[in-house]
Amino acid sequence: MEDPLIQALPPATDYLTYLTLLEYQLTPERLPLLHTLLQDEKLTTNIGWDLVKLLLPMLPASTECLQDVARLGNPREVILRVSESLMQLQPEDEDEDERADQGLPLHILQFNCLLGMLSVLHTRIQTKAPSRFIATSLQAALEAYTTMATNETTLAFLEFFREVSPSKRPAPPPRAASESSVLRVAAASAPDPEAEVSSPSPSADNETLLVRKFIQFGLLELLKSYLLSFSSPMDPGMSWTIRMQEHLHPDLRLPGAQSQTEAYGSTKELKERDMIMGKLMALSRDVGIDNEELLSIISGSPTDQTAQLDFDDPPTNPNQIPLERHGSLLLLAARAAGTTLFATGQPPRRVSVFPELAQIFNNFVGGQTNLDEVAFGQPHALLDSLLGLTVYSLQQPIETPSSDTEFKDFVVILTACTARQSHGIVRQIPAAIVKSHPSPETRFKLIHKILEDDHLAPARDSAIAWLKDELLPSPTQSSDNIFQDPLYFWALFPALFKPATVASSASDLVASWSRLTQTQGPPLHSALNLYYLLLSSPSLRERLHLEKTVKFFRGHVLDPLRQVFRSFEGDLIAKGGEGVIEAAVGEEMCQIGNARSVGLIGLTLDQIEEAASDAFGSDEADLGEYSETEEAKVSEIRKKSDIWK
């Protein structure tokens, strides 16, 4: 007996009735038969548009049938159905994912198949305004992609862009496993049954420019979503900054530890990221995204940026399609990194540190009253791109800023971007800008400002490192460096150590412990280490008159900190305390905090006390102090240094 799908073929039934029959009778086992039937161009033209939703859930078995629909169905109708399906596509539950093939979730297979269909459909449509169809597809594809940005979907999207690009190049051979999920249709397609006979050549009118600009727009949106998908705290993203630093300054690598450069050369997932970014950057060049245009976009004020693209009313002029500024930054930084690491592509023009880079930072992360909002509140991809551009710019001499305020503002915001980075090779970047300023007075004012201003607390640790570089003798140091003046050092000394007080309540005790073991601990430890280093050097002890600092240190730093530490120790249950801290943060976290922060700081305090006693004796009556005249001079130094309110 003949199969019902064959018996009911039009003209035995009308097309609508046949579609209804398919809804009830089509099973995975009948898909090969349907594939054969769909070779009838007339049948597929009439029913193909309505098969998309029916066939999608049956992937991957229905792949050939969906390809038939793309090749032979009415392209205008099918494009609309494919776009609708993309708009409705959502990541499935795990139970649904188990139905997928190739180890890929079903929604990934569906996305890739739909993008592959669009690639075929757009090449078939003969119309005066292909950009309208591109806009419809692009909106749907981008909306779906943001919820499922993976290597596989990214490669499928890039293949779509390559296929519809006016400057299309042949597809390169696959180089990674994830590329096997990209759907390419090799069979011949039917002509557009509704072709507009008077359609002009795409290269002869505005449409080519419109299509290219839509692709440029989509490519930057794709890049944003792809890089933002690496959002987990432990995900290294692209690690442009670290890898560029390792490449340019191999001496800064930690001996014995695997570098990020090595990780990206040996880890499959990270190697695929580099491969995908290489494809994306190559395509961005093919579609004409210009480095100078990107630089112009990110250098402009955010308030001057063109309004977002309105897909409901697609532009008719290419200049009305904006390239989004964040995507522009990410692409320019990726190109700079690619040039540095792989010597690929046309090298972007070096961005001057002052004023260009300073303005770019201000455009993207400036205006924050709380630097922690920069360090913790910005996406890693954004910070990595800004810092990568900085490393790229630092390969050339640094310009002198136009004002001390421009210098201070840029160094502070740059330092905030590096403050919470786990790699020391990244945290060292601002030091190059600081050292480049020719005026010791300006560098002193900057360090003084950061140490004095609680709003700049995330930059304290870095400022102490800069101070250390200024204080330690170096061959290039000038003899009249004010940092070697003991009065200037005394002007900074009290600000090195934030006051510590014993908590008056249980909640204050927990808050005090949390601050000391988290945000305040690292800069305090750095300051104590610096003081110990200076005390341990006979020449620096004498030059900086450190004897006159010991009494202040003991009374305002050493004794208060030890009282605070005793309060922490007295709270421990093991010591007979109430265990307030342990109850609030957990016993294990309390032990870790006490060992890593409280214990280390306490050990350094002991070392300082021993060094001071060895050098100056333990009797405070024998210690010198600054005279009233000297204190007046120091007060004047502080007043002159406080130029930024």
Side-chain angles (χ1 to χ4, degrees), residues 66-67 69-71 75-87 110-125 133-142 144 156-157 159-161 163-164 183 185:
L66 285 165
Q67 290 178 348
V69 171
R71 291 189 305 108
R76 297 158 192 262
E77 294 175 344
V78 178
I79 273 184
L80 294 178
R81 273 304 160 92
V82 169
S83 297
E84 287 176 12
S85 298
L86 280 168
M87 296 282 271
Q110 291 175 334
F111 179 90
N112 287 5
C113 182
L114 291 170
L115 264 288
M117 293 177 70
L118 285 177
S119 298
V120 175
L121 292 162
H122 280 287
T123 58
R124 292 181 57 204
I125 288 183
F133 291 93
I134 289 287
T136 300
S137 299
L138 185 59
Q139 179 186 18
L142 286 173
F157 217 145
E159 177 65 12
F160 165 70
F161 283 138
E163 285 285 351
V164 300
L183 180 67
V185 181

Side-chain angles (χ1 to χ4, degrees), residues 330-353:
L330 298 180
L331 180 57
L332 189 65
R335 286 179 171 181
T339 296
T340 304
L341 298 174
F342 313 115
T344 58
Q346 181 66 32
R349 173 176 68 80
R350 176 194 167 262
V351 179
S352 64
V353 174

Side-chain angles (χ1 to χ4, degrees), residues 459-581:
R460 282 181 63 82
D461 205 21
S462 295
I464 293 167
W466 307 334
L467 177 60
K468 176 183 174 182
D469 290 340
E470 298 282 5
L471 292 171
L472 298 183
S474 73
T476 59
Q477 210 168 59
S478 62
S479 57
D480 60 346
N481 188 347
I482 60 173
F483 286 94
Q484 305 298 318
D485 186 324
L487 294 183
Y488 275 83
F489 178 71
W490 179 237
L492 285 176
F493 189 76
L496 279 172
F497 311 100
K498 287 298 178 184
T501 56
V502 177
S504 57
S505 67
S507 60
D508 285 348
L509 182 66
V510 174
S512 175
W513 183 90
S514 298
R515 284 195 302 271
L516 201 61
T517 55
Q518 295 173 28
T519 55
Q520 292 181 357
L524 174 59
H525 195 223
S526 295
L528 292 172
N529 275 334
L530 173 60
Y531 190 43
Y532 174 67
L533 181 66
L534 299 177
L535 283 171
S536 302
S537 168
S539 60
L540 290 173
R541 281 202 309 264
E542 181 179 353
R543 184 186 309 153
L544 298 174
H545 297 182
L546 294 188
E547 179 187 353
K548 298 179 181 181
T549 67
V550 174
K551 189 177 289 188
F552 174 90
F553 179 81
R554 286 174 175 167
H556 291 81
V557 182
L558 180 66
D559 292 342
L561 276 174
R562 284 190 165 156
Q563 290 179 29
V564 170
F565 289 172
R566 281 195 291 270
S567 71
F568 294 161
E569 185 178 7
D571 177 65
L572 293 173
I573 296 175
K575 299 289 185 179
E578 297 181 9
V580 173
I581 299 173

Side-chain angles (χ1 to χ4, degrees), residues 70-372:
R71 291 189 305 108
L72 305 173
N74 185 317
R76 297 158 192 262
E77 294 175 344
V78 178
I79 273 184
L80 294 178
R81 273 304 160 92
V82 169
S83 297
E84 287 176 12
S85 298
L86 280 168
M87 296 282 271
Q88 296 166 5
L89 195 58
Q90 292 292 332
E92 301 284 355
D93 297 331
E94 289 185 9
D95 291 343
E96 292 290 327
D97 291 350
E98 291 174 2
R99 295 163 51 188
D101 189 26
Q102 308 171 32
L104 294 177
L106 177 60
H107 64 273
I108 301 294
L109 291 177
Q110 291 175 334
F111 179 90
N112 287 5
C113 182
L114 291 170
L115 264 288
M117 293 177 70
L118 285 177
S119 298
V120 175
L121 292 162
H122 280 287
T123 58
R124 292 181 57 204
I125 288 183
Q126 297 297 313
T127 175
K128 294 178 181 178
S131 63
R132 289 183 303 166
F133 291 93
I134 289 287
T136 300
S137 299
L138 185 59
Q139 179 186 18
L142 286 173
E143 187 162 321
Y145 177 78
T146 54
T147 65
M148 54 188 80
T150 67
N151 286 352
E152 291 78 16
T153 55
T154 305
L155 287 166
F157 217 145
L158 291 175
E159 177 65 12
F160 165 70
F161 283 138
R162 188 192 67 80
E163 285 285 351
V164 300
S165 170
S167 52
K168 175 182 173 181
R169 293 192 182 190
R175 292 190 297 162
S178 54
E179 291 188 90
S180 63
S181 64
V182 175
L183 180 67
R184 294 189 176 97
V185 181
S189 300
D192 181 0
E194 300 177 39
E196 297 171 8
V197 179
S198 59
S199 294
S201 169
S203 61
D205 63 12
N206 194 46
E207 278 298 306
T208 298
L209 298 177
L210 271 171
V211 170
R212 179 177 285 115
K213 198 63 180 286
F214 271 123
I215 294 174
Q216 292 178 357
F217 169 86
L219 203 54
L220 292 187
E221 294 299 313
L222 171 75
L223 174 61
K224 275 197 308 182
S225 295
Y226 181 60
L227 294 185
L228 288 174
S229 70
F230 311 136
S231 57
S232 68
M234 300 306 293
D235 195 305
M238 293 308 303
S239 295
W240 294 136
T241 308
I242 300 170
R243 290 197 281 167
M244 291 171 76
Q245 282 284 81
E246 289 175 345
H247 179 80
L248 296 169
H249 308 287
D251 54 305
L252 296 179
R253 293 186 184 185
L254 290 175
Q258 185 189 44
S259 68
Q260 284 295 92
T261 304
E262 292 167 341
Y264 278 78
S266 60
T267 307
K268 177 185 174 183
E269 181 183 356
L270 299 181
K271 287 173 69 175
E272 283 207 357
R273 289 184 189 179
D274 270 349
M275 177 271 294
I276 289 171
M277 287 301 298
K279 283 178 173 289
L280 191 151
M281 286 190 282
L283 184 57
S284 74
R285 291 190 293 270
D286 289 345
V287 298
I289 300 181
D290 180 66
N291 287 332
E292 286 301 317
E293 182 181 9
L294 295 175
L295 183 56
S296 174
I297 291 169
I298 66 175
S299 299
S301 169
T303 57
D304 296 336
Q305 299 292 316
T306 310
Q308 285 188 327
L309 181 61
D310 182 4
F311 281 106
D312 294 330
D313 184 20
T316 56
N317 186 323
N319 294 329
Q320 296 172 328
I321 303 174
L323 298 185
E324 202 276 330
R325 66 191 192 97
H326 288 87
S328 298
L329 171 66
L330 298 180
L331 180 57
L332 189 65
R335 286 179 171 181
T339 296
T340 304
L341 298 174
F342 313 115
T344 58
Q346 181 66 32
R349 173 176 68 80
R350 176 194 167 262
V351 179
S352 64
V353 174
F354 296 106
E356 289 179 304
L357 192 63
Q359 183 60 53
I360 291 169
F361 268 74
N362 186 59
N363 290 342
F364 285 91
V365 291
Q368 299 284 355
T369 56
N370 182 354
L371 292 188
D372 279 333

Side-chain angles (χ1 to χ4, degrees), residues 26-43:
L26 187 60
T27 62
E29 292 73 25
R30 283 192 166 120
L31 287 172
L33 173 60
L34 179 62
H35 169 52
T36 301
L37 298 176
L38 289 176
Q39 304 315 303
D40 181 340
E41 186 179 322
K42 184 177 180 181
L43 174 68

Side-chain angles (χ1 to χ4, degrees), residues 389-411:
L389 270 187
T390 305
V391 175
Y392 188 70
S393 295
L394 291 179
Q395 295 179 58
Q396 299 294 330
I398 301 170
E399 302 77 10
T400 301
S402 60
S403 68
D404 285 353
T405 298
E406 182 187 30
F407 173 70
K408 183 266 296 182
D409 287 347
F410 177 55
V411 170

